[in-house]
DNA sequence: GAATATCTCTGACTAAAGTCAGATAATGGA
DNA sequence: TCCATTATCTGACTTTAGTCAGAGATATTC
């Protein structure tokens, strides 16, 4: 059986098993739409805008469902203090009880999948599930080119700096690093990529022109909880593709001695160590790669 | 994280990924219900009764959807030759083209899950998927007590005899074995269990009274393609539970020397070899287990 | 051959899901 | 202050999904 067929079989098997969950939602005497809204609001509440976006609902449709839930005494909707156009939905005590009931259905499904198995089978199943989940996550990471001062890009860069400060023996001060170059990481001379997992930014990296047909790769970072998915490698590939598209034939980069896992990756990706090409006080190693 | 939470995370991850498939179905300009019917009919056609059962549709609802598909020139419904009350639906050339288009969507989803991964990751994913699929299948096997002459029970017993004939060095002839006992495997003195996987019978086994507070386990069989799921062990457990419920304190069984994997399982389940207790010409080993 | 059961269809419903065009009120700049 | 934008709501729809009670034709059983 080829891989495609295997994946299809898997999809079929899993969706038929988990499909029963959706049906059990209806047993609580509420339409699926309303159950979804109630469950999404959650015990900590949510503003209506976010709710609509998460469930991709029409505003009128959503408004009506909230009203219905309010009439059932499950939900309370009130004006937001910060922005009085907005409204915030939260669960009443009765609503939280219903939420728990829906939550329990997911637990029950999970339990029913494990119950008939032996302890050994359970462990095997859990391990395999973790692997599938991880690799599905890895596969759904998207890369987008955007301005290095976009909200998500800045979030990544901040996290990157924070991590450097933590990992460098000598600490890290943005002002001392040659950090002026962010604007260069935008068209026409460069580019900046943000990787997202389920909408959340989890990695970034940029390339900017530093000489004739030469680019420098900077700000490469992957969020701690997104490591081990091969994102760094794909990001590096993507940056090289961007560099080529910008007419570059050579890319260089510098790195700190503390970032050992990065050194290994650069070498494996075809980079070779080269002489110091900048005066970054935090850099101990300099790498370069020439495109064929 | 505990097991329940891990399973829930897995379910969430997989359903959000595969949920896109259902949405993409709608892109072909047909309601989900109609798409489902069209796809289920399949290139080889199907009679309306079966179709309705598979998709659990109301007969009127189904009839209308078929009519709509017929009007679109995708489906042809005609009277069955065998039973003129029945009708049979089949796809037209245009219908087969649409079917392929839907089929391709599943392929595309599978491909898009694999595409971003490295070869090594793909192999890991496929392996983990196979494990999950197998163990989910194992978990969804159901055991039901039924008459040993029910259709599915007979199917299992035939398959069992066929396999014995194949595996015994000396061949197997039902008439020579002490096969008269099937009626005993029903209440009040015994019971017969059929295991099903997705509706299909995949295993069977029975217990009947052979002496005071003593039962004999017979006809234990697991379909070849359902082995390795721990069904045999669970079936044996279930039969012992039935035996206890029937007031038995001891169960015995006989087996042929060729069925080595069975011997191992009986020993592991607490059975010990005992003296010959019957004149079954095909038996070489006799086992017994006393309940605590 | 009559009674009963089965298979499918039609008509008449209801509920849920989803869309679209304003109306209303608040916010954030120019 | 005015004007464009944003967030939500209301009313008026359509489509999809699903149910139920017969009717008509055919098959099965006694």
């Amino acid at each position: 059986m080829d891989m495609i067929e295997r994946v299809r079989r898997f999809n079929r098997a899993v969706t038929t098993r988990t499909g029963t969950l959706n049906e059990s939602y209806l047993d609580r005497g509420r339409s699926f739409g309303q159950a979804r809204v109630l469950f999404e609001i959650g015990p900590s509440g949510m503003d209506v805008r976010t709710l609509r976006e998460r469930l991709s609902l029409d505003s009128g449709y959503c408004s009506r469902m909230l009203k219905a839930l309010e009439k059932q005494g499950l939900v309370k909707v009130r004006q937001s203090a910060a922005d009085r156009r907005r409204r915030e939905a939260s669960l009443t005590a009765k609503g939280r009880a219903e939420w728990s009931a829906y939550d329990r259905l997911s637990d029950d499904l999970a339990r029913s999948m494990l119950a008939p198995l032996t302890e050994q089978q359970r462990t095997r199943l859990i391990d395999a599930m973790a692997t599938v989940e991880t690799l599905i996550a890895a596969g759904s990471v998207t890369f987008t080119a955007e301005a290095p001062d976009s909200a998500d890009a800045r979030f990544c860069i901040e996290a990157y700096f924070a991590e450097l400060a933590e990992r460098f023996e000598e600490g890290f001060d943005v002002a001392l690093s040659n950090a002026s170059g962010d604007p260069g990481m935008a068209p026409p001379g460069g580019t900046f990529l943000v990787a997202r997992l389920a909408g959340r930014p989890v990695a970034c990296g940029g390339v900017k022109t530093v000489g004739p047909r030469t680019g420098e790769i900077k700000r490469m970072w992957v969020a701690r909880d997104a490591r081990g998915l091969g994102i760094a490698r794909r990001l590096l590939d993507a940056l090289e593709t961007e560099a080529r598209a910008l007419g570059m034939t050579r890319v260089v980069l510098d790195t700190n001695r503390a970032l050992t896992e990065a050194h290994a990756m650069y070498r494996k990706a075809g980079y070779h160590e080269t002489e110091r090409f900048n005066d970054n006080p935090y850099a101990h190693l300099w790498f370069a790669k020439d495109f064929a």
Side-chain angles (χ1 to χ4, degrees), chain A residues 195-264:
Chain A
R196 287 190 181 76
L197 179 52
R200 185 173 64 101
V202 291
C204 72
V207 59
K208 67 171 196 174
T209 302
V210 289
R213 297 183 154 269
T214 302
E216 181 180 354
I217 286 176
K218 302 187 64 168
R219 309 274 184 270
M220 258 196 73
W221 169 80
V222 178
R224 275 214 171 78
D225 64 352
R227 289 179 199 169
L229 303 181
I231 296 179
R233 184 51 204 269
R234 283 173 61 201
L235 183 59
L236 189 58
D237 280 357
L239 286 171
E240 289 176 10
T241 305
E242 294 284 344
R244 270 180 243 255
L246 290 164
M248 297 168 183
T249 54
R250 176 185 174 84
V251 286
V252 298
L253 55 87
D254 67 24
T255 185
N256 183 281
R257 73 182 135 223
L259 307 175
T260 47
E261 74 284 12
H263 309 161

Side-chain angles (χ1 to χ4, degrees), chain A residues 26-37:
Chain A
L26 295 175
D27 294 345
R28 301 202 63 75
R30 205 162 286 111
S31 76
F32 188 63
Q34 283 183 27
R36 229 160 60 107
V37 168

Side-chain angles (χ1 to χ4, degrees), chain A residues 104-115:
Chain A
R104 220 168 303 125
L105 291 175
S106 296
D107 267 10
D108 291 347
L109 172 67
R111 247 190 289 275
S112 76
M113 288 170 89
L114 293 174

Side-chain angles (χ1 to χ4, degrees), chain A residues 62-231:
Chain A
C62 182
S63 165
R64 257 177 282 263
M65 278 197 287
L66 283 172
K67 197 180 284 181
L69 289 169
E70 217 167 357
K71 206 147 109 189
Q72 290 168 58
L74 300 166
V75 165
K76 197 85 215 149
V77 184
R78 68 184 170 303
Q79 209 168 40
S80 158
D83 179 341
R84 277 155 43 228
R85 289 170 304 182
R86 291 199 173 211
R87 306 194 70 202
E88 282 164 356
S90 57
L91 300 181
T92 63
K94 195 174 154 197
R96 280 193 297 277
E98 272 305 289
W99 183 89
S100 300
Y102 285 117
D103 190 58
R104 220 168 303 125
L105 291 175
S106 296
D107 267 10
D108 291 347
L109 172 67
R111 247 190 289 275
S112 76
M113 288 170 89
L114 293 174
L117 303 179
T118 66
E119 197 52 46
Q120 198 192 344
Q121 284 178 317
R122 282 180 205 177
T123 311
R124 280 216 302 146
L125 179 60
I126 297 291
D127 285 352
M129 280 180 165
T131 302
V132 170
E133 194 192 324
T134 302
L135 291 172
I136 283 182
S140 46
V141 170
T142 59
F143 296 90
T144 29
E146 54 191 76
D149 61 348
S150 76
D152 283 352
R154 282 215 309 278
F155 167 86
C156 289
I157 294 172
E158 301 280 303
Y160 171 65
F161 288 155
E163 187 172 341
L164 295 188
E166 194 185 302
R167 293 190 62 183
F168 288 0
E169 296 160 18
E170 62 272 36
F172 179 74
D173 177 358
V174 186
L176 294 181
S177 80
N178 60 349
S180 60
D182 285 10
M185 294 189 287
T191 193
F192 191 81
L193 299 180
V194 173
R196 287 190 181 76
L197 179 52
R200 185 173 64 101
V202 291
C204 72
V207 59
K208 67 171 196 174
T209 302
V210 289
R213 297 183 154 269
T214 302
E216 181 180 354
I217 286 176
K218 302 187 64 168
R219 309 274 184 270
M220 258 196 73
W221 169 80
V222 178
R224 275 214 171 78
D225 64 352
R227 289 179 199 169
L229 303 181
I231 296 179

